[in-house]
Amino acid sequence: MSGADRSEAHDGRDDGAAEDRHAREIDGEQAHGAAGTDPAHPAPDGTGTGPTGTGPTGTGGGAGSASRGTGAPGPARQPRIPTPRLSVEDGGHALPLLAGPVEPEPAPAALSHGVLKSLLGAWALAACSAAETAAVEEHLGDCGGCADEARRLREAVGLLHQPESLDLNPALRNRVLRNCLSRRPPRIPVPDWAVPYDAETARLDALLQDFGDAEWHAPVRLRWFDADRPTSRRTTVAGVIAHLLSVDGLVATALGLEDPLPAAPGPKDGAGGPAGRTEAYWRASRFPPTRAVRGPWREQSHSLVRTVSFTGSHAGGLPVAYGGFALPLHDAMLDRAFECWVHAADIAEAVHYPYEPPAAQHLNRMIDLAARLLPVVLAERRRAGLSVPDGPTPHLVAAGAPGRSLRLEIEGAAGGEWLIPLDSPAAVGSADHEVAHVALDGVEFCQLAAGHLSPEEAAAGQHGDRRAIRDVLFATASLSRM
């Protein structure tokens, strides 16, 4: 072989050995990373690495092993993918503690019985420390009295956490207001004699609240007695409210409030009385009254109650002129309450709606007013020739002296008994001079006084002087007016 050939062969052998050496170095580095170069982690097959080189047995020099190549290019090797590193859980090492050492349960504190009893409230609210809780619970197992007290406290704590809202109870507001008013009355209370009027106007206003046009124009028949004869007048629901507005104006003008009539009628021909004022109001209206009349009537009723409340109970004797007669303010307010109820019942009947009588205590006061007015009405009827006394001459009784009397017995929740003097308004009713006895239901007596019931149909029980009974029944019907 020539020198050139040997030179080419040598160059080929050097190139092949270099390539082989380079491949083995790459494989050694990959094997070094895969098999674990860390001395603490040996390779799975038991081979190791030395500080000076790599080899199948872990011995030999790093550079000297390269001379074993054949000079021919070896097959192409695929790059090796390193396996995942082992986790701490799979390495056999103990896991770090995540929590501190478990503390032992606290020993019950040595506390006296008085101290433990004082801690029951805090224990029920779970506000005790661990040692106090242990001491209390240990004590409850030995002391029956404290155990009962603890049970009651726990039940009380349970009531503080209701599952539903207290606002869901519709009666809660009424109970709270009633309780507050019973403990502390309002600064400006409504006088006792004005409460029935306040109640009856509120009930009528609630009835009118949802009325439509058809209800406001429903026909209503007003009924009363005039000279012992039944009389009536047809109007509408709105016309009845206009009637109440105009007659309540008598009380309003007496208190210095504005008169609802555009031009107040004078006393001529009774125009200043209830009937005359009503006719004047109806004539002054360009059109028949409509639902618009409710606002003025409602505002006037509120003004009356508010004014008498500010004025106080001492204003109850203020005279209120009714045209041909006058009533003190406390009786006038009862009279207006009575008429408001009667006409509210007329309206309810016209629209086919039920309507209850007033409260028993209010109805009793209305009956008492009528019973106190009967002696005056009896005297007026005698002067008008509508009542003829027994005998050729009337019984004359001095003022304040007892005279012939009729016992008026009213049955029902608003019931009671009244002795009606028959001979003189100034006489005093006396049981020793009783000549007749009449029994009536409370609502029937009021219907008779309103002119809605005839005297012949009113008495449920009669005993004694028939003429005296007739006079009292017709006098009661004469209390009615438009």
Side-chain angles (χ1 to χ4, degrees), residues 211-221 234-240 346-347 349-352:
F211 275 16
D213 292 337
E215 287 82 6
W216 279 102
H217 294 289
V220 180
R221 186 164 62 96
R234 293 183 65 87
T235 182
T236 62
V237 170
V240 174
D346 293 338
I347 292 173
E349 181 182 0
V351 297
H352 308 288

Side-chain angles (χ1 to χ4, degrees), residues 110-202:
L111 302 175
S112 63
H113 177 271
V115 175
L116 292 171
K117 187 175 181 179
S118 66
L119 290 174
L120 292 179
W123 173 83
L125 293 170
C128 290
S129 64
E132 291 173 341
T133 301
V136 170
E137 292 177 352
E138 182 179 359
H139 177 68
L140 295 180
D142 300 331
C143 181
C146 289
D148 293 338
E149 180 68 16
R151 177 179 54 81
R152 288 192 294 269
L153 290 173
R154 272 292 171 89
E155 292 176 355
V157 170
L159 295 177
L160 299 177
H161 304 282
Q162 293 290 340
E164 68 276 356
S165 173
L166 293 177
D167 293 337
L168 296 178
N169 188 349
L172 177 62
R173 179 176 181 273
N174 293 333
R175 290 203 310 268
V176 171
L177 289 177
R178 183 165 56 250
N179 184 47
C180 293
L181 293 177
S182 64
R183 294 177 180 270
R184 182 179 181 181
R187 292 181 178 272
I188 307 176
V190 178
D192 191 56
W193 40 266
V195 172
Y197 176 80
D198 188 23
E200 293 308 312
T201 53

Side-chain angles (χ1 to χ4, degrees), residues 290-352:
T290 61
R291 68 165 68 230
V293 76
R294 181 194 173 203
W297 169 80
R298 189 171 185 266
E299 179 59 31
Q300 180 178 255
S301 63
H302 289 178
S303 298
L304 289 177
V305 175
R306 184 168 54 250
T307 302
V308 298
S309 299
F310 278 103
T311 305
S313 58
H314 64 275
L318 180 70
V320 177
Y322 274 74
F325 63 98
L327 290 176
L329 180 60
H330 58 81
D331 285 343
M333 295 296 286
L334 273 176
D335 172 77
R336 302 313 307 143
F338 174 78
E339 187 168 358
C340 183
W341 162 50
V342 170
H343 289 319
D346 293 338
I347 292 173
E349 181 182 0
V351 297
H352 308 288

Side-chain angles (χ1 to χ4, degrees), residues 22-114:
H22 180 67
R24 285 198 305 271
E25 288 177 357
I26 294 176
D27 292 343
E29 291 178 359
Q30 293 177 350
H32 178 73
T37 59
D38 189 354
H41 298 280
D45 57 356
T47 61
T49 59
T52 58
T54 61
T57 59
T59 60
S65 61
S67 60
R68 299 177 183 176
T70 60
R77 299 186 181 185
Q78 297 294 330
R80 298 180 59 187
I81 300 176
T83 58
R85 295 179 62 86
L86 298 177
S87 64
V88 176
E89 291 83 353
D90 297 334
H93 297 282
L95 296 177
L97 295 177
L98 300 180
V102 179
E103 297 181 358
E105 295 183 359
L111 302 175
S112 63
H113 177 271

Side-chain angles (χ1 to χ4, degrees), residues 203-273:
R203 289 208 304 152
L204 176 55
D205 187 51
L207 175 66
L208 302 174
Q209 182 176 1
D210 297 326
F211 275 16
D213 292 337
E215 287 82 6
W216 279 102
H217 294 289
V220 180
R221 186 164 62 96
L222 302 178
R223 296 170 289 169
W224 69 97
F225 267 72
D226 185 12
D228 294 347
R229 293 190 304 272
T231 308
S232 64
R233 173 69 185 272
R234 293 183 65 87
T235 182
T236 62
V237 170
V240 174
I241 302 302
H243 166 61
L244 292 176
L245 173 67
S246 59
V247 181
D248 284 353
L250 294 171
V251 183
T253 54
L255 291 172
L257 301 177
E258 183 181 358
D259 195 322
L261 271 67
K268 182 180 179 180
D269 297 331

